[in-house]
Amino acid sequence: MICSGIARASAAILALGGLALLFAADAVLPVLIPGYPPAGAWLGQVLAAAWLGVAALTWRARSMLLGGIYGRPVVSTNATLFLISALSLLRSVFEGQAPMAARLLGVVFTVLAA
């Protein structure tokens, strides 16, 4: 099923990003945001907790019929996360402030939001 493949991809991307931010926020955030202070690594770890939570939710629902009465919360959670993330990242891209890593992340989130 195509829904299962999209759910697996979404869960994998969020889990990889969440693990990277959880264990290496002080190295990842300055690459995404030039000038980011190392003392702000806690913010990346809080974001990692949210991403890992949504990844776990999506992974557990990967075999369900997504979009039905029971799968609607999973779909709306993923759609909200990816749409808001994509819009925020694309805004910084259009303003010319985003480094290449943020641009790539914006493309991935835009594809998953669609």
Side-chain angles (χ1 to χ4, degrees):
M1 259 185 156
I2 193 165
C3 291
S4 178
I6 293 172
R8 287 175 197 262
S10 171
I13 289 169
L14 288 173
L16 288 174
L19 289 172
L21 284 174
L22 183 63
F23 294 112
D26 53 345
V28 172
L29 289 176
V31 172
L32 292 174
I33 308 165
Y36 193 82
W42 62 271
L43 185 60
Q45 291 172 337
V46 171
L47 178 63
W51 280 8
L52 288 171
V54 174
L57 173 73
T58 305
W59 185 256
R60 296 289 307 260
R62 71 188 182 281
S63 60
M64 290 177 29
L65 177 62
L66 296 176
I69 190 169
Y70 298 113
R72 191 171 296 145
V74 176
V75 172
S76 63
T77 300
N78 277 289
T80 303
L81 172 70
F82 287 122
L83 181 66
I84 293 172
S85 299
L87 290 175
S88 299
L89 286 168
L90 290 176
R91 177 178 171 211
S92 66
V93 167
F94 287 132
E95 290 176 354
Q97 300 172 352
M100 185 54 74
R103 291 173 195 234
L104 292 175
L105 192 61
V107 168
V108 171
F109 280 5
T110 303
V111 168
L112 286 170

